[in-house]
Amino acid sequence: MLTSGPSRRAVLAGAAAAAAITAVPSFSGVASAADSATPSYRWRQVVIGGTGFVTGVLFHPSVRGLAYARTDIGGAYRWDDRGARWIPLNDDLGWDDWNLLGVEAMAVDPAHPDRVYLALGTYAQSWAGNGAVLRSEDRGATWARADLTVKLGGNEDGRGTGERLLVDPRDSDTLWLGTRHDGLLKSTDRGATWGVAGGFPGTPSGSGQGVTLLVAAGRVLYAGWGDSDGTTANLYRTLDGTTWEAVPGQPSGTSAKVPIRAAYDCHTRELYVSYADAPGPNGQSDGSVHKLAVATGTWTDVTPVRPGGSDTFGYGGVAVDARRPGTVVVSTNNRWAAVDTLYRTTNGGRTWTSLKDSAVLDVSETPFLTFGADAPKFGWWIQAVAVDPYDSKHIVYGTGATLYGTRDLKHWAPQIRGLEETSVRQLISPPTGQAHLLSGLGDVGVMYHERLTASPSRGMASNPVFGSATGLAQAAAKPSYVVRTGFGDHGNGAFSNDGGRTWAPFAAQPALAKDAPGPIATNTDGSVLLWTFVHWDGTKYPAQRSTDNGATWSEVASYPKGATPLADPADPTRFYAYDTDTGTLFASTDGGLTFTGRASGLPSGDSQFQLAAAPGRSGDLWLSTKWNGLYRSTDGGATFTKLTSCWASYTLAFGKAADGADYPVIYQVGSTETITAVYRSDDEAKTWVRVNDDRHQWGWIGATIAADPRLYGRVYIATNGRGIQYGEPA
């Protein structure tokens, strides 16, 4: 996704890479004993429709209607042909396994249709955990897991290449896994244990690419190598599974520096390879497509269009038509001037047709795909392309936001139902109005969810359009008034007077808003705004205050720099801010004009500590400090008491009180014993019950949650790659 940070290289010792990797016990998603007291909850996902980078799509070659998709931060999916939707396969990965939600590669066994394999690992930096391989005998319904001693990079540069995982066509028990920093791995027991494959000639250079693809052409295996400088070999092959050699006559030069993807036409015995000058999805400016006649060793340049001038791009996906010899589809990537396209040939690459030129796009099911424009684009970040082996006119391709498909080569629409990959930043469940939910999202701004079962009809909030949202706030006593902030090219702050249905930009904004838009708060009647600013490099700035709906702004010198502002839900003169640098609670009693320190000596050092206020009560504050626990103040932050009912708290929300209770129900992502999970308390945090289960964990869920003030028991969970999940008593 666009929300990923810069790639930093993680280096592993060669001895560690060479060690055999032992499998851990199978896990199947069956609830553990720890769930015995869990209330019966039904979990569903709020429908947005994609919004993340689909990095790979794989049709099973021998089963009609069976396909898999992988994403860079949201796990893998299996296509349910009867229900015409994607089924998530990795929601049972929990908090401690958050790094496994990025899928580096996937593989199927042509001879055993129920077998599927996933190579998981989001980041390869030193602070991230090692990767793992999951193997399933029932199409992903249950999994067995083998932990690796190497790191994978499902959300690193080059995540759209591949596949890096392959079942050996000569022996279904043998699997191959290409890594970024540790060469080629091999398993001879269907992925249960792994070791370094001897004889592979690639020497990692530190680029973080390593083996970019593995593909079988008959009984011959080919491996793409992404650490070439453009003059050395970047494509290797083995005929016997032991001895590897550089493929003779392979293309070289800038346009063929990095092999991106490859596909084999078994009818013509030709291997098609797409290339670019960088791994992508960003940073490509040159590329090409070549084919190899494997019987003769003859290479042919079949590039549809050469990049040049202002029309710079690389090539990405490549897929062959299993039913029609010589029919191939390739994609451009990172082509911003002329916009990316798919090229299709029916004669082995002698001539090509751009499918974009005749395309009719229908995004009515996911209106956000217009991104505030009059019409959607054909796509960008196109590195995943697949042709249905049972239907030559059924083509799908992934983009940075969705998965498009066609059944007639002309009409295209998202084929994304069930696949939700949004990185969620803010959630509000209003007390009144049509919408039960507003959301602030990575990459796609703010959305107004009039229904939870359909993508918002208004698409992304516009006027202005944001990329990633950084702030979202509602006036407690005037819920029709909402403000939002975020990264945008035409303004970074906006307000709504109809609960978030329509928006207008602030008449003015501080100079810092362009490059460092941070969270925003509005007091209970909407008469005062407080906007904070934090640059992407971590630099913090003083808050700015407006009393005229954003027409003018003034600096609040006494406000703790970079702190997230919080409005008192009952008193319009009060604001709060928690200074995570010093562990001090600051408060204002003059509408945000001045702030003074109150309680101090609280946990510090983590900018993700969160302060919340109980609705309808002045000065009733709750402070989540991660593994430092949960604190409460009932005197406006003058003093805090640490609660003993949980030992870790990451984010907190309040919802409609239980029948007979006089205090709102509390939800949190936290830990009461050994597991980090979603908990509910009906008695002011004296006791907690877990409301999610081992099948519904979604990796890291510590950003924010919201609870419905109108429906007891409903809670909304923000995930980092699985969109918005919501649960309610079954």
Side-chain angles (χ1 to χ4, degrees):
M1 297 188 67
L2 295 176
T3 52
S4 63
S7 174
R8 290 171 288 177
R9 183 171 61 91
V11 180
L12 295 176
I21 297 104
T22 304
V24 300
S26 170
F27 61 99
S28 63
V30 177
S32 68
D35 293 316
S36 59
T38 299
S40 179
Y41 254 64
R42 180 185 182 188
W43 290 96
R44 290 170 284 184
Q45 52 193 21
V46 176
V47 175
I48 301 174
T51 76
F53 188 19
V54 180
T55 52
V57 179
L58 190 61
F59 282 101
H60 198 285
S62 57
V63 179
R64 181 187 293 270
L66 179 58
Y68 297 90
R70 62 177 167 98
T71 67
D72 54 1
I73 64 171
Y77 295 78
R78 182 185 69 249
W79 178 250
D80 174 11
D81 201 41
R82 178 174 296 180
R85 62 185 300 105
W86 294 97
I87 305 299
L89 300 179
N90 302 122
D91 283 356
D92 52 358
L93 291 172
W95 183 273
D96 293 336
D97 287 324
W98 68 267
N99 190 53
L100 299 184
L101 265 294
V103 186
E104 181 82 287
M106 56 188 176
V108 297
D109 186 340
H112 298 86
D114 291 339
R115 293 180 184 171
V116 61
Y117 302 87
L118 301 177
L120 307 180
T122 309
Y123 298 107
Q125 286 90 1
S126 59
W127 43 263
N130 291 335
V133 173
L134 302 187
R135 60 192 189 278
S136 175
E137 299 281 348
D138 52 16
R139 304 186 183 186
T142 62
W143 298 97
R145 169 172 161 178
D147 286 320
L148 303 175
T149 58
V150 304
K151 297 179 186 296
L152 304 180
N155 196 33
E156 305 263 345
D157 287 346
R159 57 196 182 273
T161 65
E163 297 293 327
R164 288 176 160 101
L165 186 63
L166 179 70
V167 177
D168 195 311
R170 300 162 300 187
D171 178 9
S172 289
D173 289 346
T174 299
L175 275 74
W176 303 83
L177 173 61
T179 73
R180 293 169 176 267
H181 301 282
D182 300 278
L184 184 65
L185 303 185
K186 183 179 181 180
S187 170
T188 57
D189 54 11
R190 296 210 303 271
T193 60
W194 293 83
V196 171
F200 186 74
T203 301
S205 69
S207 73
Q209 296 307 310
V211 179
T212 60
L213 64 89
L214 293 167
V215 65
R219 297 175 63 84
V220 180
L221 307 184
Y222 290 82
W225 186 247
D227 285 349
S228 170
D229 62 4
T231 62
T232 55
N234 58 27
L235 192 67
Y236 297 97
R237 71 183 179 190
T238 180
L239 282 66
D240 59 8
T242 301
T243 304
W244 291 82
E245 64 176 357
V247 179
Q250 62 185 271
S252 61
T254 301
S255 67
K257 182 179 178 181
V258 181
I260 303 299
R261 286 186 174 265
Y264 180 60
D265 188 333
C266 63
H267 300 288
T268 64
R269 299 185 66 191
E270 293 173 323
L271 180 70
Y272 291 82
V273 185
S274 62
Y275 292 92
D277 59 342
N282 289 316
Q284 295 177 337
S285 59
D286 198 1
S288 60
V289 181
H290 298 259
K291 71 175 181 179
L292 169 66
V294 299
T296 64
T298 302
W299 283 91
T300 305
D301 187 337
V302 292
T303 306
V305 174
R306 282 285 184 183
S310 62
D311 189 16
T312 60
F313 57 92
Y315 279 91
V318 55
V320 299
D321 187 336
R323 303 176 67 85
R324 297 186 178 184
T327 298
V328 186
V329 178
V330 299
S331 70
T332 63
N333 186 66
N334 204 48
R335 189 183 196 184
W336 298 104
V339 183
D340 280 304
T341 186
L342 300 185
Y343 287 106
R344 182 174 183 262
T345 179
T346 58
N347 55 22
R350 290 192 297 275
T351 59
W352 297 84
T353 300
S354 171
L355 297 181
K356 178 189 68 176
D357 296 346
S358 60
V360 177
L361 291 177
D362 178 4
V363 299
S364 57
E365 190 168 313
T366 50
F368 77 89
L369 286 171
T370 62
F371 286 88
D374 294 332
K377 291 184 178 180
F378 195 72
W380 72 99
W381 283 17
I382 306 176
Q383 294 189 291
V385 177
V387 178
D388 189 335
Y390 291 89
D391 182 353
S392 296
K393 293 185 177 181
H394 182 200
I395 301 173
V396 295
Y397 67 93
T399 78
T402 193
L403 187 72
Y404 279 112
T406 183
R407 297 280 183 172
D408 61 6
L409 305 183
K410 179 179 180 180
H411 297 89
W412 300 80
Q415 293 190 359
I416 202 72
R417 291 180 188 174
L419 198 160
E420 300 288 347
E421 203 199 347
T422 319
S423 176
V424 185
R425 310 305 186 60
Q426 300 94 23
L427 294 173
I428 292 176
S429 186
T432 60
Q434 180 181 0
H436 276 258
L437 186 67
L438 304 175
S439 61
L441 312 169
D443 299 342
V444 289
V446 168
M447 291 196 183
Y448 176 93
H449 305 266
E450 60 269 79
R451 289 193 298 154
L452 303 180
T453 56
S455 187
S457 63
R458 309 186 71 85
M460 297 170 57
S462 58
N463 196 26
V465 169
F466 292 163
S468 291
T470 59
L472 183 64
Q474 185 173 47
K478 186 182 177 183
S480 61
Y481 184 73
V482 189
V483 290
R484 62 182 173 97
T485 55
F487 288 95
D489 295 330
H490 304 288
N492 304 88
F495 67 94
S496 172
N497 283 316
D498 55 13
R501 286 176 55 84
T502 61
W503 299 87
F506 294 148
Q509 66 179 34
L512 288 167
K514 178 67 175 176
D515 297 319
I520 194 169
T522 177
N523 66 344
T524 185
D525 62 8
S527 61
V528 179
L529 303 178
L530 277 181
W531 193 356
T532 58
F533 305 92
V534 181
H535 196 266
W536 63 268
D537 65 4
T539 305
K540 303 174 182 179
Y541 301 93
Q544 299 273 341
R545 178 177 182 267
S546 176
T547 57
D548 52 14
N549 201 31
T552 60
W553 298 87
S554 59
E555 182 179 302
V556 183
S558 56
Y559 186 90
K561 293 181 180 179
T564 298
L566 176 70
D568 190 280
D571 186 343
T573 68
R574 294 192 178 194
F575 284 92
Y576 309 97
Y578 187 67
D579 184 358
T580 60
D581 291 336
T582 64
T584 303
L585 189 286
F586 283 79
S588 171
T589 57
D590 56 8
L593 276 170
T594 60
F595 282 79
T596 57
R598 293 192 173 181
S600 61
L602 294 163
S604 62
D606 195 313
S607 62
Q608 294 180 350
F609 291 166
Q610 295 186 18
L611 186 66
R617 291 160 170 79
S618 183
D620 189 353
L621 306 179
W622 297 73
L623 179 62
S624 295
T625 62
K626 292 188 170 181
W627 51 86
N628 295 294
L630 178 63
Y631 293 77
R632 184 184 182 187
S633 172
T634 56
D635 54 14
T639 60
F640 277 85
T641 300
K642 185 174 183 179
L643 280 71
T644 59
S645 59
C646 66
W647 67 267
S649 180
Y650 297 88
T651 183
L652 201 73
F654 302 89
K656 183 178 180 180
D659 288 344
D662 60 1
Y663 195 85
V665 64
I666 309 173
Y667 299 86
Q668 72 162 336
V669 174
S671 302
T672 62
E673 294 178 351
T674 60
I675 188 171
T676 301
V678 184
Y679 293 90
R680 188 188 77 207
S681 176
D682 293 346
D683 57 8
E684 268 181 90
K686 295 181 181 67
T687 61
W688 300 90
V689 293
R690 184 184 176 194
V691 296
N692 71 324
D693 55 61
D694 287 355
R695 296 181 301 274
H696 301 93
Q697 299 195 74
W698 317 289
W700 186 78
I701 51 175
T704 189
I705 61 174
D708 203 305
R710 290 176 270 181
L711 296 172
Y712 168 74
R714 180 185 285 181
V715 59
Y716 305 91
I717 310 297
T719 76
N720 186 46
R722 278 290 288 123
I724 306 167
Q725 305 289 330
Y726 73 102
E728 50 198 356

